[in-house]
């Protein structure tokens, strides 16, 4: 079974467990839990240990910069299919010297609401189509595609919103298509996240500088301490390398070997710096309020009035999710499509009751840690138990003895953009999942994307594959376990954030994650609205 087919099967099973998922408010997730019989074919007989090992001083000699170990033919095919699914349109080469004159300019670009097909009248269940024309800074229409655009339809007074599906026509024009889910006013918004020329730069950075965020490892034995550079992608030199690739997950990590100490004296991991130097004038392609995250104006009306559903026309198929969306907002509440039931809990008492008798295990980056912080604040009777661990890292735990509720958070394994992380606290999610007994009282939440944004997407695919194998093992031994996947979200973009966590990087990773669901798992409208 391929990664794609497995993920789709996981979502298609109707195993949402009661109210547990409901307390995670305003977050787009995919919930999956297949029947045991569907997992027997994929059962992994190994029972791996759950700690980082394979500490060796044997030099690692990659075939080329940022090469990865070979996979099985099936996994290789999975990777190729996933890479094909995120293939981006060809973007233009940059002239030297670089000028903005012929690059995409949101101020000159426009969008138009098309009314021909509807006769100027829209009803609930209809499709609203918008045509977008990108022009350069001289007002000339662009002739190629590759711009990063997001489109949304919303009504602030009603607290409603839905994402649009953007289609690149590869000639400077784009379409955005929306399903109309509510009556009343609907305002169209189209935003240029990055011009296609900026994507050219981001492509090059990923290829040439996947190590632009670099890390250090501190090796210590007695009074001797040495610090060396570490990374997933470590440039080949004559210096020997410590290969810390996890024996069980296969996730790669390398450090240059210290001169005096052995590899097994690795004690601390830290983010050491950032080298994102661009070529001359390329920073002009990443300017807030100029050509990065700037709204495009409408040519004509930017809003429509949606009438009640036509009697002779069925509404958009909300049960099957054929609209291509995972859901939409209405009156500030997320309404999922595809049959998933979501309830919303608005007070601590309801959340406490929902979590009664449950153990919630949160694994991932800061966006998952924020869930822990929310639950910590929402469970007044729970006591926080920690060892004064760093705020960013954890691990953290809260315990409500009266309700027998346990909530734990642990960050994912390297790469981690945190300072001074003890190597003993760096645990891969897959290995942690192998520790769990699971069962109907166990909830697992996984969110991993941000710290892997600067690397080739293949690195992210490998991480998902190892997590998938561990989830299969967990659900094989405890099919009643509830597993929740959190996807990426938009961010406020500075130049640094763009070069490390651009929304375009997040979009690519969400497309890779999408096969976990047969719906779109990430609606661009939601974050920050």
């Amino acid at each position: 079974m391929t990664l794609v087919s497995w993920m789709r099967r996981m979502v298609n099973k109707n195993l949402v467990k009661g109210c547990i998922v409901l307390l995670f408010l305003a977050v787009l997730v995919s919930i999956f839990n297949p029947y045991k019989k569907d997992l027997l074919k994929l059962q992994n007989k190994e029972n791996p240990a759950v700690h980082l090992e394979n500490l060796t001083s044997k030099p690692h000699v990659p075939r080329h910069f940022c090469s990865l170990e070979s996979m099985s033919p099936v996994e290789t095919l999975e990777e190729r299919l996933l890479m094909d699914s995120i293939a981006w349109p060809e973007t233009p080469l940059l002239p030297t010297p670089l000028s903005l004159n012929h690059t995409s300019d949101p101020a000159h670009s426009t969008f138009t609401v098309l009314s021909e097909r509807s006769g100027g009248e829209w009803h609930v269940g209809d499709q609203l189509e918008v045509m977008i024309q990108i022009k350069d800074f001289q007002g000339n229409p662009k002739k190629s595609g590759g711009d990063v655009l997001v489109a949304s339809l919303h009504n602030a007074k009603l607290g409603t919103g839905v994402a649009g599906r953007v289609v690149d026509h590869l000639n400077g024009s784009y379409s955005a298509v929306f399903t109309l889910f509510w009556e009343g006013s609907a305002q169209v918004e189209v935003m240029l996240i990055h011009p296609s020329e900026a994507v050219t730069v981001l492509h090059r950075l990923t290829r040439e500088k996947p190590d632009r965020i670099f890390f250090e490892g501190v090796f210590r034995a007695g009074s001797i301490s040495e610090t060396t550079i570490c990374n997933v992608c470590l440039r080949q030199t004559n210096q020997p390398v410590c290969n810390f690739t996890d024996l069980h997950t296969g996730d790669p990590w390398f450090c240059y070997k210290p001169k005096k100490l052995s590899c097994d004296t690795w004690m601390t991991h830290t983010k050491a710096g950032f080298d994102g130097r661009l070529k001359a004038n390329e920073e002009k392609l990443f300017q807030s309020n100029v050509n990065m995250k700037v709204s495009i104006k409408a040519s004509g009306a930017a809003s429509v009035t949606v009438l009640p559903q036509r009697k002779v026309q069925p509404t958009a198929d909300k049960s099957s999710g054929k609209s291509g969306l995972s859901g939409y907002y209405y009156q500030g509440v997320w309404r999922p499509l595809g049959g998933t039931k979501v309830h919303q809990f608005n007070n601590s008492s309801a959340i406490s009751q929902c979590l009664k008798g449950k153990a919630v295990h949160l694994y991932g980056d800061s966006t998952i840690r924020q869930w822990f912080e929310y639950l910590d604040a929402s469970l007044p009777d729970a006591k926080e138990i920690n060892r004064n661990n760093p705020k960013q890292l954890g691990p953290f735990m809260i315990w409500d003895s009266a309700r027998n509720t346990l909530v734990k958070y642990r960050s994912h394994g390297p790469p981690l953009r945190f300072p001074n992380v003890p190597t003993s606290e760096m645990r891969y999610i897959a290995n942690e999942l192998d520790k769990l007994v699971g069962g109907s009282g166990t909830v697992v939440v996984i969110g991993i994307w941000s710290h892997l944004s600067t690397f080739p997407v293949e690195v992210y695919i490998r991480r998902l594959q190892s997590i998938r194998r561990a989830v299969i093992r967990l659900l094989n031994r405890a099919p009643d376990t509830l597993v929740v996947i959190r996807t990426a979200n938009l961010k406020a973009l500075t130049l640094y954030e763009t070069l490390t966590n651009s929304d375009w990087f997040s979009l690519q990773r969400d497309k890779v994650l999408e096969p976990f669901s047969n719906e779109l798992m990430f609606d661009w409208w939601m974050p920050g609205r």
Side-chain angles (χ1 to χ4, degrees):
M1 181 180 292
T2 65
L3 178 65
V4 171
S5 62
W6 175 82
M7 290 174 175
R8 284 177 175 164
R9 176 175 292 184
M10 298 286 271
V11 164
N12 286 335
K13 301 301 180 181
N14 182 20
L15 289 156
V16 179
K17 300 294 191 304
C19 62
I20 301 303
V21 69
L22 312 178
L23 56 92
F24 301 123
L25 306 180
V27 181
L28 308 183
V29 297
S30 175
I31 305 161
F32 58 89
N33 188 358
Y35 296 116
K36 183 175 181 179
K37 65 180 181 181
D38 294 321
L39 295 169
L40 293 178
K41 297 178 182 178
L42 296 173
Q43 183 177 7
N44 188 333
K45 299 298 182 181
E46 297 180 1
N47 183 24
V50 290
H51 57 274
L52 187 71
E53 40 182 290
N54 199 25
L55 305 180
T56 173
S57 60
K58 182 179 179 180
H60 171 75
V61 183
R63 294 185 300 275
H64 55 81
F65 181 46
C66 208
S67 65
L68 299 172
E69 297 297 327
S70 60
M71 301 184 295
S72 69
V74 172
E75 290 176 322
T76 301
L77 177 60
E78 290 175 348
E79 182 179 277
R80 181 173 64 81
L81 292 174
L82 288 169
M83 293 299 294
D84 288 345
S85 73
I86 63 170
W88 199 257
E90 184 176 352
T91 56
L93 297 175
L94 303 183
T96 303
L98 176 62
S99 167
L100 292 184
N101 285 342
H102 300 294
T103 67
S104 302
D105 177 20
H108 280 94
S109 303
T110 59
F111 72 84
T112 304
V113 176
L114 302 182
S115 59
E116 290 83 359
R117 296 180 184 178
S118 66
E121 187 175 274
W122 291 271
H123 294 256
V124 171
D126 287 351
Q127 299 286 305
L128 175 69
E129 185 175 358
V130 172
M131 183 61 68
I132 307 162
Q133 178 63 59
I134 300 298
K135 297 182 180 180
D136 63 24
F137 277 79
Q138 293 183 327
N140 300 313
K142 294 287 293 291
K143 301 299 183 182
S144 59
D147 298 287
V148 185
L149 297 165
V150 297
S152 65
L153 193 67
H154 54 85
N155 182 319
K157 291 183 179 180
L158 289 177
T160 60
V162 67
R165 181 171 60 90
V166 177
V167 178
D168 188 340
H169 299 296
L170 307 179
N171 59 3
S173 66
Y174 301 77
S175 297
V177 181
F178 306 90
T179 300
L180 302 177
F181 289 109
W182 66 85
E183 297 179 28
S185 177
Q187 178 81 26
V188 177
E189 182 177 1
V190 177
M191 180 177 291
L192 177 72
I193 302 297
H194 292 305
S196 56
E197 293 80 10
V199 175
T200 299
V201 175
L202 296 177
H203 262 306
R204 190 193 74 240
L205 284 175
T206 299
R207 182 178 65 254
E208 298 178 358
K209 291 186 177 181
D211 57 345
R212 56 190 177 276
I213 290 183
F214 54 94
F215 307 88
E216 289 180 345
V218 176
F219 297 77
R220 186 179 299 111
S223 59
I224 301 176
S225 179
E226 296 183 69
T227 301
T228 70
I229 296 296
C230 304
N231 220 312
V232 172
C233 306
L234 202 58
R235 296 179 184 271
Q236 186 173 0
T237 66
N238 293 327
Q239 188 174 352
V241 170
C242 294
N243 183 355
F244 296 118
T245 299
D246 189 85
L247 290 177
H248 304 120
T249 69
D251 292 305
W253 191 254
F254 309 101
C255 296
Y256 291 124
K257 185 182 180 299
K259 295 179 180 179
K260 299 178 181 179
L261 300 176
S262 62
C263 292
D264 59 7
T265 60
W266 182 36
M267 296 296 172
T268 305
H269 161 93
T270 193
K271 175 188 172 183
F274 171 69
D275 180 12
R277 287 172 290 180
L278 298 174
K279 296 181 181 180
N281 295 324
E282 285 184 345
E283 72 279 357
K284 293 182 179 179
L285 295 170
F286 305 97
Q287 299 182 74
S288 297
N289 302 318
V290 176
N291 53 10
M292 183 170 70
K293 280 206 162 183
V294 179
S295 292
I296 294 174
K297 295 180 180 180
S299 175
S303 63
V304 299
T305 299
V306 184
L307 303 174
Q309 177 186 344
R310 291 185 177 93
K311 293 181 179 180
V312 297
Q313 176 183 326
T315 188
D317 190 343
K318 298 183 181 181
S319 62
S320 66
K322 290 182 180 178
S323 63
L325 296 170
S326 56
Y328 63 100
Y329 276 98
Y330 186 75
Q331 294 181 343
V333 177
W334 178 248
R335 292 192 172 187
L337 302 174
T340 301
K341 294 182 179 180
V342 172
H343 300 270
Q344 186 156 339
F345 293 89
N346 297 317
N347 57 67
S348 296
S349 176
I351 294 174
S352 297
Q353 184 61 33
C354 179
L355 287 178
K356 186 177 181 180
K358 305 297 180 182
V360 182
H361 300 270
L362 309 174
Y363 301 109
D365 52 33
S366 60
T367 60
I368 292 295
R369 190 194 70 241
Q370 290 163 10
W371 286 27
F372 176 88
E373 293 168 353
Y374 176 81
L375 292 177
D376 189 13
S378 300
L379 300 173
D381 296 329
K383 305 299 181 184
E384 185 171 349
I385 304 171
N386 62 61
R387 303 185 300 247
N388 295 318
N389 293 316
K391 180 181 185 299
Q392 289 181 309
L393 176 66
F396 303 124
M397 181 170 66
I398 53 177
W399 166 249
D400 185 341
S401 58
R403 294 175 177 80
N404 192 28
T405 298
L406 175 68
V407 182
K408 300 173 70 175
Y409 163 77
R410 180 178 286 278
S411 63
H412 60 73
L416 286 171
R417 300 176 187 174
F418 301 147
N420 302 318
V421 180
T423 56
S424 60
E425 295 294 353
M426 289 203 299
R427 316 283 183 84
Y428 288 103
I429 292 174
N431 287 341
E432 290 299 293
L433 293 177
D434 281 330
K435 288 182 179 181
L436 298 180
V437 175
S440 60
T442 302
V443 181
V444 174
V445 182
I446 300 170
I448 178 171
W449 56 279
S450 176
H451 296 241
L452 292 164
S453 294
T454 54
F455 300 102
V457 179
E458 291 91 336
V459 175
Y460 185 61
I461 292 174
R462 303 290 181 92
R463 186 66 61 94
L464 290 183
Q465 288 174 327
S466 69
I467 293 173
R468 175 195 63 175
R469 291 191 292 267
V471 169
I472 288 174
R473 291 190 291 267
L474 171 61
L475 294 176
N476 188 50
R477 64 181 178 269
D480 291 335
T481 305
L482 175 64
V483 179
V484 180
I485 304 295
R486 186 201 190 279
T487 59
N489 57 264
L490 298 175
K491 300 187 69 173
L493 294 182
T494 62
L495 179 60
Y496 169 79
E497 287 290 347
T498 300
L499 302 183
T500 58
N501 276 117
S502 165
D503 291 342
W504 183 69
F505 292 143
S506 301
L507 171 63
Q508 297 291 84
R509 277 141 192 82
D510 263 17
K511 285 185 177 180
V512 167
L513 187 59
E514 184 178 331
F516 272 105
S517 171
N518 60 357
E519 305 169 339
L520 292 178
M521 297 176 60
F522 178 59
D523 283 351
W524 290 94
W525 177 87
M526 187 277 277
R529 299 294 181 185

